[in-house]
Structures are given as structure tokens and as C-alpha cells.
Amino acid sequence: MTDRDETNIVKNPARRKLLSSGLIAGGAAALGGVFSKSAIAAAPDPLITEIQDWNRYLGDGVDAAPYGVPSEHENDTIRRNVAWLTADEKASINFTPLHRLDGIITPNGVCFERHHGGKAVINPADHRLMINGLVDTPLVFTMEDLKRFPRTNRAYFLECAANGGMEWKGSQLNGCQFTHGMIHNVMYTGVLLKDILAEAGVKSSAKWILPEGADASHMSRSIPLEKAMDDCMIAFAMNGEALREEQGYPLRIVVPGWEGNMWIKWLRRIEVGDKPWHHREETSKYTDLLKSGKSRRFTWEMDVKSIITNPSPQAPITHGKGQTVLTGLAWSGFGKIKRVDISLDGGRNWQPARIDGPSWDKSLHRFYFDFDWDGSELFLQSRAIDEDGNVQPTKNELRAARGGNSIYHNNGIQTWHLRPDGSAENVEIS
Ligand SMILES: Nc1nc2c(c(=O)[nH]1)N[C@H]1C(S)=C(S)[C@@H](COP(=O)(O)O)O[C@H]1N2
Ligand SMILES: [Mo]
């Protein structure tokens, strides 16, 4: 420990006093007196006037954590599972803690996971990607081969088609992590699928591709060739580092704006064909049952949607009435978000929110609504509108269109009942 630092701070009460009065004056002026809890308190705040342990002792050196982790005070920022949802955690799902995050990028360690056969663990040196079917030359790539193609960086959301599925019949799960947390948004690095397909030479009769995973579920999904040639990527990195194993290390396909189940992880093969393959996934699970008893198939795009992340049931208001920051996320599988409206009274009156941060195609958008809460009960709602003019529907509008039997593609407007004590609850307004 260098006592010099200590001496300066601990043994110089004059300097300490100066520092604290400086903070007080600066704080009050900058805040313009809007906060009820004045910084100029009658009793001195020991956190300002007294030396704390973290001022007194030297901290860990640079190599204490070769790969850093969040502060222990952030240990509530974790993925969570809902045990009763699935019979087995190897074919299960957990949820992104949306209420603990800000901005638009989901940190790699808290991206929700959806596995049908558990997480595959693969040494990248042993990983291969095969392209076969209706191509001039079937090819096999190593990871090293793939990294020699021109790269691209793009941020996209991935939303499971079942996100919000438990809420079709009525409000059920108390927290945006559980009602909306089957989504993540990361910056992918990889190569465009069209460049890989061009290398193999796609035959003119080809219309579909079938990506397949190397995990125990061998999951595969048919994707129209048009989409594959448009903006699909073969990604090997997320948020600047290699994919996490949970997200398909070392390789996954990125299918921007489309249902999460098409984004095959641990990608090992892409077959090119002239018609869609028949899969169990598609026919029994990712199909929307309509009121008429017929089903909607091939509903690939994820519809325009938004959610208020704070305040919300897991993130109550603890500061009391007055200046309040309401925030949330909006997205659309059809492109950019043009506008987000906020209602404080369950959808009767709407005011525009402020979108802040990058507005990218098929990526999460962050919105804020800064308001003066009078401490009364509110019914908070957000409604997103995308650049194609799609408007997020109410849950009743959705049910009128599709009936009550659906699970997938619930993009209905969420209501949080904010109570005078600052707590919030998942409710529905009819
Ligand atoms: N190989 C393989 N790919 C897969 C799955 C899987 O179980 N195996 N699950 C799919 C489903 S249903 C979803 S919603 C997304 C989830 O991606 P994530 O785990 O990165 O959140 O991956 C998709 N890709
Ligand atoms: Mo999914």
C-alpha cells in the first residue's frame, strides 16, 4: 500500500471538507432542484464525509480476473428458467433478464438459451460445414476456411416464436424477463451465406436450403433460398468474441428478423433443395392454430413488438414520486422501428417515447419516456410502429384475429399495473 494516497485522503480533513462541499454545490446546481431528497441534507452523509474501505485499501491487481465478470452487486442480472414450462432442462429454455439491461446489446453471458437436445460442446478444430444438394460442387469447410471469406458485422435480434406464448390466454408470468425474455440482440461477425453458397454454385432449380445442427437434436429448418441469398449470415462471433457455446459455438446461421428456431446453432450442414423439407418442428410446433381450426404455416417474420422493461414487476420504482425514467425495447422483423408510444392509463391516451441509440434494421431499439410520476396508480403500456407502418396490436385484437389457441407470435401490447408503492404487476385491461 502506498501511504501517500492514504495520507492525502485520510490525514487531510481540510481537503475532505472541501471535496464534500464542492460535491454538494455542484450536485444541487446540476439537478436544478428537481429531486425531493436534497443533496444538502442537514446531517452530513458518512458516504461523503468518511473514508470507506474501498478508499483505504489497495484493490486487486490487473491479473485478478483474466476474463472479467460483473460486480457481485449485479448478481441479479442472470438468466432464469421457469421450471414447470418444460419437463427436462436439456430440452428447455431460459430467459434474458431484460429488466436489468440497458441500451440495445445483450451481454453474451445473459443471452437466453433454447436447446432441444442440450448444449453441444465442440472443438472448433473438429468442426466442419458441409454444403450439398442442388449445387455444382458439394463442399466441406473448416472454421479456418470460413474465416478467409470477406466478413461483415451486423446487430440483429433473435426472438423465439414462443416468446410470450404463456400469455395468450391471460396475464400469467410476473416479470418482463418471463413474458418477453426469449430474445437477445447481439452484434454478429461472420460471412454472408450467399458468398458461401456461390462458392459451391447453386443450381438454377434450387429454391430452399436446409441448415442442420451438430447437436444431439440435429435440429434443421427449411429456409427459402431468397432469404438465404438476401441477408442470412454464417456467424462465428458475437459482440466481438467467439460465439458462446450456448449460442452455437463455433458456428450458427443468422436469419435476420425471422423466428429464432430457424437460426440453427452448431451449424454443420446446409442442404440445397427445390422444395421445403417436412419437419416435425415445423408442422407440430411452429405452426399457429387459428380459431377456425386451420393453422397458419410459414409465419417467419417476427411481428412488430415492444415491452416496457422498467418499471416492471421485477423492477419496481423505489425512489418515490417525481422525476421518473420509463424505458423499454421495441423491434420488428420487417425492419426499423419508426415510433414507440407510451400510455400511462391503459391505452386511452398515448404520447411518443424517445428512441435513443442506433436504429438498425431488425435490431432492438431502446426507448425512454421521462415523466413526472405523481405517485398515483398507472396502467403502463407501450406500442411500437415499424417503418412498414405495422402497428403493435392489443392482446384482444390479436385474439380476435387468431383465437385463443395460439402459442406462437404473440406481439400483443403488455400492461403493467404500477401501484402507489412503486410495485408493478402483469395485468390485462379489457
Ligand atoms: N442446433 C440447434 N439449433 C437451434 C436450436 C436447437 O435446439 N438446436 N434451438 C432453436 C430455437 S427454437 C431458438 S429460439 C434459438 C435460440 O437461440 P439461443 O439459444 O441463442 O437463444 O435457436 C434455435 N437453433
Ligand atoms: Mo424457439
Side-chain angles (χ1 to χ4, degrees):
M1 170 173 290
T2 62
D3 331 278
R4 202 167 34 130
D5 288 347
E6 219 196 5
T7 314
N8 283 349
I9 301 172
V10 179
K11 292 183 184 157
N12 189 345
R15 187 184 125 76
R16 234 162 71 202
K17 229 162 104 195
L18 198 73
L19 196 72
S20 52
S21 56
L23 276 178
I24 289 165
L31 300 170
V34 291
F35 291 90
S36 53
K37 195 172 74 187
S38 173
I40 313 168
D45 182 351
L47 285 168
I48 300 272
T49 57
E50 301 307 315
I51 295 297
Q52 307 295 325
D53 278 357
W54 56 91
N55 307 144
R56 199 187 314 268
Y57 306 114
L58 283 179
D60 284 342
V62 288
D63 283 336
Y67 194 103
V69 295
S71 159
E72 62 178 298
H73 303 288
E74 299 299 320
N75 64 8
D76 196 40
T77 308
I78 50 169
R79 299 185 276 227
R80 287 187 178 83
N81 181 347
V82 173
W84 54 263
L85 267 186
T86 46
D88 174 356
E89 70 178 34
K90 298 219 183 278
S92 189
I93 189 145
N94 59 22
F95 301 85
T96 306
L98 298 177
H99 62 296
R100 301 282 304 183
L101 306 176
D102 213 323
I104 63 164
I105 294 294
T106 315
N108 288 344
V110 290
C111 286
F112 86 95
E113 305 164 66
R114 173 74 175 112
H115 314 314
H116 291 77
K119 180 189 87 175
V121 176
I122 301 173
N123 178 343
D126 298 336
H127 192 68
R128 300 289 181 269
L129 173 66
M130 179 162 97
I131 312 282
N132 69 332
L134 295 178
V135 291
D136 299 331
T137 323
L139 293 173
V140 173
F141 298 95
T142 63
M143 289 302 296
E144 202 173 36
D145 294 335
L146 292 171
K147 289 182 176 175
R148 296 174 70 180
F149 283 84
R151 288 180 209 173
T152 184
N153 290 289
R154 300 184 189 182
Y156 293 116
F157 74 82
L158 179 168
E159 184 181 17
C160 176
N163 200 16
M166 299 80 80
E167 304 289 312
W168 261 106
K169 293 197 163 64
S171 55
Q172 176 156 233
L173 296 170
N174 221 19
C176 66
Q177 176 164 23
F178 306 112
T179 56
H180 290 75
M182 293 184 197
I183 192 165
H184 53 63
N185 198 68
V186 309
M187 173 72 72
Y188 293 99
T189 305
V191 300
L192 286 173
L193 176 54
K194 68 168 183 231
D195 291 344
I196 304 297
L197 291 175
E199 191 77 8
V202 173
K203 290 202 188 296
S204 57
S205 56
K207 295 218 161 41
W208 294 81
I209 63 158
L210 182 78
E212 178 189 77
D215 55 324
S217 79
H218 303 282
M219 193 163 160
S220 62
R221 281 295 310 267
S222 302
I223 299 175
L225 186 63
E226 206 185 331
K227 178 69 173 173
M229 295 304 235
D230 178 19
D231 56 2
C232 287
M233 286 173 71
I234 302 288
F236 39 77
M238 58 195 282
N239 293 335
E241 63 178 0
L243 291 181
R244 290 293 169 91
E245 285 179 337
E246 298 91 311
Q247 268 64 50
Y249 180 82
L251 204 62
R252 103 175 293 167
I253 183 169
V254 170
V255 191
W258 289 24
E259 296 180 340
N261 56 79
M262 305 176 98
W263 298 49
I264 300 300
K265 304 189 277 191
W266 310 290
L267 179 71
R268 71 163 178 197
R269 191 170 72 93
I270 296 177
E271 190 175 334
V272 181
D274 56 4
K275 49 184 172 312
W277 287 260
H278 199 68
H279 331 262
R280 223 174 10 142
E281 286 299 340
E282 209 157 55
T283 49
S284 68
K285 296 176 76 189
Y286 296 97
T287 304
D288 300 309
L289 193 59
L290 297 176
K291 210 157 43 177
S292 61
K294 291 205 185 111
S295 60
R296 274 185 357 142
R297 265 188 92 193
F298 298 147
T299 46
W300 297 308
E301 286 95 353
M302 296 310 295
D303 297 306
V304 63
K305 192 165 170 181
S306 67
I307 178 67
I308 294 170
T309 56
N310 309 78
S312 63
Q314 297 161 286
I317 295 180
T318 52
H319 57 54
K321 63 184 183 179
Q323 186 173 323
T324 300
V325 175
L326 178 156
T327 184
L329 295 163
W331 62 96
S332 168
F334 296 96
K336 298 184 175 72
I337 291 296
K338 194 176 69 189
R339 204 174 90 209
V340 178
D341 294 327
I342 300 298
S343 176
L344 304 178
D345 56 10
R348 255 170 270 152
N349 297 288
W350 295 95
Q351 289 167 265
R354 178 170 59 86
I355 293 175
D356 192 274
S359 173
W360 288 323
D361 213 36
K362 300 158 193 158
S363 170
L364 291 186
H365 289 57
R366 172 61 62 175
F367 64 81
Y368 297 98
F369 183 77
D370 307 291
F371 75 109
D372 196 353
W373 182 39
D374 63 5
S376 64
E377 74 169 0
L378 302 177
F379 290 90
L380 307 176
Q381 297 187 339
S382 63
R383 175 178 71 189
I385 301 163
D386 71 16
E387 61 181 346
D388 284 2
N390 299 305
V391 181
Q392 186 181 359
T394 65
K395 287 171 82 176
N396 283 336
E397 283 166 355
L398 257 190
R399 290 189 193 106
R402 285 200 240 145
N405 292 328
S406 275
I407 294 174
Y408 301 103
H409 293 271
N410 175 2
N411 67 324
I413 291 174
Q414 174 68 44
T415 310
W416 302 131
H417 176 199
L418 180 70
R419 302 193 197 87
D421 67 0
S423 64
E425 197 189 347
N426 179 5
V427 298
E428 268 197 43
I429 305 223
S430 43

